[in-house]
Amino acid sequence: MKTYLISSVLSLFLLSCGQKNKIEKAVNDIPVEIKVERFDKVFFETQPEDLSKVKNEFPYFFPAGNEDSVWLDKMQDPLWRELYSEVQKKYADFTPVQSEAVTLFKHLKYYFPETTIPRLITVISEMDYNNKVIYADSLVIISLEMYLGKEHNFYQFPNYIKQNFVERQIMPDVVSSFYNYKAAPNQDKSLLSNMIFAGKELYLKDMLLPDYSDADKMGYTPEQISWCEENESYMWRYFIEKELLYSDDQKLIPRFISMAPFSKFYLEIDNESPGRVGAWVGWQIVRSYMENNKVSLQQLLNSSTKEIFEKSKYKPKK
């Protein structure tokens, strides 16, 4: 009996690997070219008298109502120029990131054939860590000042925020922005719905970034992923016993879904827990749903919380 079970598990594993290899071969055969436009470089290396040329080339970066003096001051401001210098040191050669973008958009075209291959434009913005990447159908805008490395002295942010200011987070952030562009807003206010909504985004990263680790996808350290895996059963029991899953108390979102230094169980484990553990649990529910149901990624995005949860057959690992 034991030999039979081992044989069955091995067969399923080999079948899964074969299917993944088949998908990756199909993905690699999709022709994709990504055009990178370094607006940051164009802007800061343009002479002030030629500002009008930059405005004509990139009109969407120059909203009406701002005088040219605003842009001329920015061009010549020592702090902005120092920031540009640091970006150039890090990203003088953007080829590795461009290559990652090509791989990502091959996967996007495979799973979402209607996807437009966008222009990828790099900028230096206002260090808005909530909008490091903006996906807008024909454009992907990447704020490079947010990816200089978590220890860079320009960053005056808490560790849980700046730990993701690294090059490896660019593509996961592109997927996050794509998801927010593609998915309908979540109207259900329950904790479970918010968990699964976040879980869909993370599962999208599973499919679109297969070579990235769970830590990369989640924006965690490997130790934080291990903590969630070791405490999965405990967290699920806590949500059940406290009757939180179907609660629409919006204070639960910052406690368990939003980016935070730790999650708030109001117990001693808070000091050990990473933030966003509800999103991580939602990810496991979505993974279980996709393992137990034959649905496409687009169907997943359209599926309701109720359907995903009931058909997931989710059971936390002991």
Side-chain angles (χ1 to χ4, degrees):
M1 185 66 170
K2 184 176 180 181
T3 303
Y4 172 77
L5 287 173
I6 292 173
S7 177
S8 297
V9 170
L10 182 59
S11 296
L12 288 172
F13 174 75
L14 292 174
L15 185 64
S16 175
C17 287
Q19 180 65 16
K20 287 180 180 178
N21 289 337
K22 184 178 179 182
I23 289 173
E24 287 305 306
K25 185 180 185 306
V27 166
N28 288 333
D29 289 341
I30 297 173
V32 167
E33 289 186 18
I34 296 287
K35 181 181 180 183
V36 175
E37 299 173 54
R38 296 294 301 271
F39 173 75
D40 55 312
K41 191 170 184 178
V42 170
F43 181 83
F44 283 103
E45 294 188 5
T46 293
Q47 295 300 314
E49 59 268 24
D50 292 327
L51 175 63
S52 60
K53 296 179 181 178
V54 183
K55 292 175 69 175
N56 289 334
E57 187 177 355
F58 299 95
Y60 32 81
F61 289 134
F62 298 92
N66 287 329
E67 300 290 335
D68 282 357
S69 59
V70 173
W71 310 114
L72 293 171
D73 287 347
K74 185 174 181 177
M75 275 182 171
Q76 301 169 86
D77 184 278
L79 291 177
W80 278 105
R81 297 204 66 82
E82 183 182 1
L83 181 56
Y84 169 63
S85 176
E86 292 300 300
V87 168
Q88 277 302 102
K89 286 179 187 176
K90 174 69 176 174
Y91 294 107
D93 179 10
F94 202 68
T95 306
V97 180
Q98 183 178 10
S99 178
E100 290 288 304
V102 168
T103 301
L104 167 58
F105 276 91
K106 281 175 178 282
H107 284 84
L108 270 170
K109 287 293 285 185
Y110 178 83
Y111 289 107
F112 302 96
E114 75 286 358
T115 300
T116 300
I117 302 302
R119 297 162 63 192
L120 196 158
I121 304 178
T122 64
V123 302
I124 296 175
S125 193
E126 304 282 347
M127 288 201 180
D128 180 0
Y129 60 82
N130 289 313
N131 293 287
K132 294 189 287 179
V133 172
I134 297 173
Y135 183 100
D137 189 34
S138 61
L139 296 176
V140 172
I141 301 168
I142 301 173
S143 296
L144 289 183
E145 84 281 2
M146 301 311 302
Y147 301 99
L148 295 177
K150 60 184 178 181
E151 301 300 334
H152 199 285
N153 59 11
F154 277 1
Y155 297 143
Q156 303 299 312
F157 297 96
N159 287 335
Y160 76 94
I161 294 177
K162 67 181 182 179
Q163 74 181 32
N164 288 309
F165 293 176
V166 294
E167 181 178 331
R168 188 66 172 171
Q169 274 300 301
I170 295 178
M171 291 308 124
D173 286 344
V174 173
V175 176
S176 292
S177 190
F178 172 82
Y179 175 69
N180 289 325
Y181 173 83
K182 187 82 174 174
N186 184 28
Q187 302 296 335
D188 188 337
K189 303 301 183 183
S190 71
L191 176 62
L192 179 62
S193 180
N194 279 279
M195 290 166 64
I196 288 176
F197 188 77
K200 289 180 181 181
E201 175 186 330
L202 290 160
Y203 187 81
L204 204 59
K205 294 179 183 180
D206 282 339
M207 298 295 100
L208 301 179
L209 299 170
D211 294 331
Y212 280 61
S213 70
D214 281 6
D216 292 328
K217 297 168 194 170
M218 190 74 192
Y220 273 3
T221 64
E223 292 76 19
Q224 288 173 322
I225 288 290
S226 294
W227 189 95
C228 288
E229 291 172 345
E230 292 165 5
N231 290 278
E232 181 177 359
S233 181
Y234 174 82
M235 290 189 289
W236 186 246
R237 189 166 65 250
Y238 178 90
F239 293 145
I240 297 289
E241 290 177 353
K242 298 294 183 180
E243 299 182 347
L244 300 182
L245 290 179
Y246 295 101
S247 171
D248 60 2
D249 181 356
Q250 292 306 284
K251 292 179 182 178
L252 294 172
I253 307 308
R255 284 177 62 187
F256 298 113
I257 304 293
S258 303
M259 189 163 52
F262 53 85
S263 295
K264 299 177 180 66
F265 295 91
Y266 302 134
L267 299 168
E268 287 185 9
I269 64 167
D270 286 4
N271 294 327
E272 304 169 8
S273 70
R276 303 186 66 223
V277 297
W280 186 88
V281 174
W283 189 11
Q284 310 320 305
I285 295 172
V286 173
R287 280 176 164 174
S288 183
Y289 171 73
M290 295 302 284
E291 287 171 5
N292 289 296
N293 298 274
K294 291 184 178 181
V295 296
S296 68
L297 277 184
Q298 184 61 64
Q299 288 171 321
L300 169 65
L301 297 188
N302 296 336
S303 297
S304 68
T305 295
K306 184 175 185 292
E307 178 183 353
I308 291 172
F309 184 52
E310 290 181 353
K311 293 184 178 180
S312 69
K313 302 178 184 177
Y314 170 70
K315 290 184 180 179
K317 295 179 177 64
K318 300 286 185 179

